[in-house]
Amino acid sequence: MRKAARIGATVVFAAAFGSAAFADVGACLITKTDTNPFFVKMKEGASAKAEEMGIALSTYAGKIDGDVETQIAAVESCIAAGAKGILITPSDSRALAPVVGKAREAGLLVIALDTPFEPADAADATFATDNFLAGEMIGKWAAGKMEDPAGAKIALLDLNPSGISVDYLRDQGFLQGFGVDVKDAKIIGDEEDARIVGHDVTNGNEEGGRTAMENLLQKDSGVTLVYTINEPAAAGAYEALKAVGLEHQALIVSVDGGCPGVQNVADGVIGATAMQFPLLMASNGIEAIAAYAANGTKPVNSEGLDFVNTGVTLVTDAPVEGVPSISSEEALHQCWG
């Protein structure tokens, strides 16, 4: 596959030339926050690879998920510093497109991590999970796991009001996997399925998950299925359910595959989660910047996609026929590698 050849080439390149070849190469990593474990792991991957290759890495993060202003300022700083490339998880996949366009005009390679820009070609490349597939996998698992999916009452705990790409891709993938007509796949909440109790936003953290779950339980205390944008939000949703004695009533599904989230699968807090690989996204991103600095090479998308697919794996201890998965025990050896 073209993707495998591309990644393999950058690894060979790094080994052949060693760290000294990149002594004057600067790179930036800009994440949505520096508190979410997903982005902490991403920073670890980028930092380790940059140190290995002798690349000077500067890191930036928004104060909260959705902090566009801080990310814009970070991009401006990277341009001014003469960085060769930027790795960024955009807090708003539309609002940040103009400033990354400015970075590209200045000669920087811009790679989106995890969250695609809109349009995707606003960046030179995207290294990401197939987020729609991740959502579809947990939706199919939930449909196969529930005794009466036709009678489900579904609460959806999304990211933020901006409705960015990673948000609607996971949400709509989950609904399609579960068998709900999603109408416009880029719009959250336009469904007309009576099983949907409602959507609320979490900002991708535990406190937000707890509050969103409380809000949706006020609309309907009979919720039997909870989709969450990520595992911190899932943990918060579980605490809200537990506080009113409903933790055994509702099945929770999520996306992330971090070690704490996988442990929550083992503990029965989360029924199934779709595992991503943020460390791989970031380390491959640093290798791509090194290749670009050396000879202008840019990443090649995975076949049939408009991004480089870094993979996704379903994790559950209650497998469903026809939905490939691994156990939490297996996943604890792989989480966020």
Side-chain angles (χ1 to χ4, degrees), residues 6 11 29 45 53 58 71 86 112 131 133 135 165 180 184 193 201 208 214 222 265 285 325:
R6 169 69 185 88
V11 172
L29 172 69
M53 302 184 76
S58 299
Q71 289 199 318
I86 295 173
N131 282 294
L133 176 61
S165 56
V180 172
D184 187 330
D193 196 302
V201 296
E214 290 170 349
V265 172
S325 64

Side-chain angles (χ1 to χ4, degrees), residues 28-165:
C28 293
L29 172 69
I30 306 170
T31 54
K32 295 178 185 178
T33 73
D34 58 7
T35 54
N36 186 314
F38 184 86
F39 302 122
V40 171
K41 182 59 67 173
M42 190 174 278
K43 183 177 177 180
E44 288 178 13
S47 298
K49 182 58 68 173
E51 182 177 2
E52 174 190 325
M53 302 184 76
I55 290 173
L57 178 67
S58 299
T59 62
Y60 305 84
K63 298 178 181 68
I64 60 171
D65 203 312
D67 181 5
V68 175
E69 291 77 13
T70 298
Q71 289 199 318
I72 289 174
V75 173
E76 297 279 9
S77 295
C78 296
I79 297 170
K84 196 63 180 177
I86 295 173
L87 307 177
I88 181 169
T89 58
S91 284
D92 189 315
S93 48
R94 304 178 191 96
L96 280 150
V99 75
V100 300
K102 181 179 177 181
R104 294 177 69 190
E105 288 173 4
L108 284 74
L109 180 75
V110 178
I111 297 177
L113 302 181
D114 180 56
T115 303
F117 279 96
E118 296 181 74
D121 62 5
D124 291 291
T126 302
F127 289 4
T129 306
D130 186 331
N131 282 294
F132 191 90
L133 176 61
E136 189 174 36
M137 290 167 70
I138 57 175
K140 287 181 177 179
W141 178 86
K145 178 63 178 173
M146 298 187 76
E147 291 185 5
D148 181 23
K153 292 188 176 183
I154 309 169
L156 294 104
L157 277 57
D158 297 304
L159 185 57
N160 60 42
S162 297
I164 63 173
S165 56

Side-chain angles (χ1 to χ4, degrees), residues 133-210:
L133 176 61
E136 189 174 36
M137 290 167 70
I138 57 175
K140 287 181 177 179
W141 178 86
K145 178 63 178 173
M146 298 187 76
E147 291 185 5
D148 181 23
K153 292 188 176 183
I154 309 169
L156 294 104
L157 277 57
D158 297 304
L159 185 57
N160 60 42
S162 297
I164 63 173
S165 56
V166 68
D167 204 2
Y168 67 69
L169 287 168
R170 293 182 188 180
D171 174 293
Q172 303 288 274
F174 161 75
L175 289 173
Q176 179 167 296
F178 194 74
V180 172
D181 181 359
V182 299
K183 305 297 182 183
D184 187 330
K186 291 188 176 182
I187 298 177
I188 291 175
D190 66 346
E191 311 85 24
E192 298 175 353
D193 196 302
R195 293 174 292 179
I196 297 177
V197 171
H199 297 255
D200 206 333
V201 296
T202 66
N203 288 318
N205 60 51
E206 187 168 340
E207 181 181 353
R210 185 182 301 109

Side-chain angles (χ1 to χ4, degrees), residues 199-277:
H199 297 255
D200 206 333
V201 296
T202 66
N203 288 318
N205 60 51
E206 187 168 340
E207 181 181 353
R210 185 182 301 109
T211 300
M213 190 73 254
E214 290 170 349
N215 292 342
L216 291 172
L217 285 173
Q218 288 178 9
K219 292 184 67 174
D220 191 333
S221 61
V223 169
T224 56
L225 177 60
V226 180
Y227 155 84
T228 65
I229 180 69
N230 64 11
E231 291 159 359
Y238 178 81
E239 289 303 318
L241 289 162
K242 186 177 179 181
V244 291
L246 298 178
E247 68 270 27
H248 300 300
Q249 172 181 286
L251 189 64
I252 300 175
V253 294
S254 196
V255 178
D256 257 356
C259 296
V262 172
Q263 186 60 53
N264 274 343
V265 172
D267 294 340
V269 171
I270 298 173
T273 191
M275 176 183 282
Q276 307 181 88
F277 302 96

Side-chain angles (χ1 to χ4, degrees), residues 305-325:
L305 300 173
D306 59 0
F307 62 95
V308 178
N309 188 356
T310 53
V312 61
T313 301
L314 185 70
V315 179
T316 183
D317 288 333
V320 166
E321 186 176 354
V323 186
S325 64

